[in-house]
Amino acid sequence: MAHRLLEAADLSIAVAPAVRSCPLCAGGDHRLFLPITVSRGPAAGSYELRRCTTCGLVFVEPRLADPLLATLYDQDFYFSTGWPYRGFAEWIMREIQRTRRRRVQRYVPSGRLLDIGCGDGRFVRHMAEHGWQATGIDFSAAALTLAQSRDSAARFLYGSLFDHDFEPASVDLVTLWQVLEHIGEPREFLGRCRDLMRPGGVFVAAVPNIEGLSARLTGERWWGLDVPRHLVHYSPRTLCHGLEEAGFTVLKVNHLSLQYDPYALLHSSLDWVFTRRHFLSDLAKQQIAADVSPLECAYNVAALAVLGPVLAPLCVVTSAAASCFGRGGFIEVFARRDGRGPVPKLSH
Ligand SMILES: [Zn+2]
């Protein structure tokens, strides 16, 4: 399997050791699921999504080395600085935090929260405002700087879950909003989460669904793939399996995501006609690449003007229908930490 990757870079530095086993079940047999070419940016090159024949997890190969991966999480990854209609966007973001809080409080009404991959800390601050002992953790210094810049009772930590000593069985609620797919060692990670949660505590993860209708319809263009930043790609089955093996009992799988699914489907559909990928999000963030000529830009804007009003409602309806049939483009999984003893050894 040959990969053209980072033409000017030393592959031994750029690429982590080849994945030889499934990061979820440690099975050694996996097959090509989807070839992906990233044509622009520092991670341009050819990648493969591989599917484990044992547990079904899909994961990216080659996986970039952590220092290079870290460079793909710049400030704009977390919080765009160029969004138009900022007031409206802020209102939407507040409503998203409120919706998340209501959903998790159905399972655990109050207590100690750890939000992993907290980004700019909106959810953590929102929960602190509603009486939670809320802590956020993120490996992005830029995100943490913004999170800590606001007055809040929330606490923020820098680094990964393995960089800090948490009191065992002390956390009531662990949340990961579109974060778990960025973690390349889910077995170890879920075990670590379990150890720091109290028995009966609740774990919530929202992830793209590789078996959702949107992924099936748009293939390699699906926005939820985000190669090579997304290291693993879950389905409801693989995520539930991983959680159960790590000592959790799955409570609910929610397939409805009005925040992500319709936009992701629209974005991925328009990429079929745009001259370059991600033109819609680049335009929304007012970050059109410098090498886009006025003529090329005019074509893409015209394509958006013609197709956008037709596709947008179709994407809303399609996403909603898919969620009704358990094929949502994004899922939220709620799981309870079991009360049984040490973390069980995962089966291969
Ligand atoms: Zn596996």
Side-chain angles (χ1 to χ4, degrees):
M1 172 170 50
H3 296 282
R4 180 185 65 80
L5 192 69
L6 300 168
E7 294 167 329
D10 180 347
L11 283 179
S12 65
I13 296 173
V15 184
V19 175
R20 302 187 192 282
S21 59
C22 169
L24 187 61
C25 77
D29 188 23
H30 40 86
R31 310 275 168 78
L32 176 64
F33 176 72
L34 192 64
I36 301 282
T37 299
V38 176
S39 56
R40 291 185 175 83
S46 297
Y47 298 85
E48 289 183 352
L49 298 186
R50 312 279 301 175
R51 184 195 285 273
C52 171
T53 55
T54 304
C55 76
L57 186 79
V58 176
F59 53 92
V60 70
E61 192 170 291
R63 172 183 162 178
L64 300 186
D66 287 344
L68 181 56
L69 266 177
T71 67
L72 305 181
Y73 293 85
D74 58 8
Q75 189 182 39
D76 193 61
F77 177 78
Y78 294 90
F79 27 85
S80 170
T81 54
W83 281 87
Y85 314 116
R86 178 170 288 274
F88 179 67
E90 286 292 328
W91 179 81
I92 292 286
M93 292 306 293
R94 280 196 300 274
E95 287 305 305
I96 289 169
Q97 313 316 321
R98 193 194 311 264
T99 301
R100 287 174 172 173
R101 175 173 56 81
R102 286 175 175 164
R103 285 182 180 171
V104 301
Q105 284 185 332
R106 291 174 190 162
Y107 299 98
V108 52
S110 62
R112 300 174 79 173
L113 159 72
L114 179 62
D115 185 40
I116 301 169
C118 64
D120 63 6
R122 288 175 188 271
F123 180 66
V124 184
R125 287 195 301 276
H126 177 82
M127 295 295 272
E129 289 166 5
H130 287 81
W132 286 75
Q133 295 179 54
T135 300
I137 184 168
D138 204 295
F139 72 82
S140 164
L144 262 294
T145 298
L146 191 68
Q148 292 170 328
S149 68
R150 315 274 176 87
D151 284 339
S152 172
R155 184 172 69 124
F156 293 98
L157 303 172
Y158 173 72
S160 84
L161 206 54
F162 295 92
D163 295 331
H164 298 272
D165 291 324
F166 295 94
E167 183 184 344
S170 63
V171 177
D172 300 283
L173 173 64
V174 167
T175 52
L176 298 99
W177 305 109
Q178 310 297 335
V179 170
L180 193 57
E181 66 273 21
H182 296 267
I183 294 170
E185 299 81 24
R187 285 202 317 159
E188 294 78 2
F189 179 84
L190 292 174
R192 175 74 170 143
C193 288
R194 180 191 181 281
D195 288 346
L196 61 88
M197 293 173 66
R198 69 165 173 80
V202 171
F203 175 98
V204 184
V207 297
N209 177 10
I210 191 72
E211 292 185 357
L213 182 61
S214 296
R216 295 289 176 91
L217 289 175
T218 56
E220 64 164 331
R221 286 175 169 74
W222 186 46
W223 188 72
L225 294 179
D226 199 10
V227 173
R229 278 190 292 237
H230 290 184
L231 303 179
V232 292
H233 301 269
Y234 293 99
S235 67
R237 187 172 62 86
T238 56
L239 181 49
C240 291
H241 171 76
L243 284 166
E244 287 164 359
E245 289 288 289
F248 293 88
T249 298
V250 174
L251 302 170
K252 181 181 175 64
V253 179
N254 181 9
H255 279 261
L256 183 61
S257 173
L258 290 178
Q259 180 187 357
Y260 288 104
D261 204 2
Y263 176 77
L265 184 54
L266 176 67
H267 189 288
S268 312
S269 302
L270 287 168
D271 273 358
W272 285 101
V273 293
F274 287 152
T275 56
R276 60 182 65 204
R277 295 197 183 177
H278 302 162
F279 182 81
L280 180 60
S281 49
D282 289 349
L283 183 67
K285 291 187 283 190
Q286 301 175 343
Q287 292 178 349
I288 303 298
D291 63 339
V292 178
S293 70
L295 183 62
E296 182 181 354
C297 187
Y299 163 80
N300 288 328
V301 170
L304 174 61
V306 171
L307 295 175
V310 178
L311 287 176
L314 277 177
C315 290
V316 172
V317 171
T318 303
S319 300
S323 71
C324 292
F325 290 97
R327 292 286 177 180
F330 294 77
I331 53 172
E332 289 175 353
V333 177
F334 298 78
R336 181 186 297 121
R337 192 262 214 206
D338 288 346
R340 55 189 155 109
V343 178
K345 187 172 176 58
L346 296 168
S347 60
H348 290 189

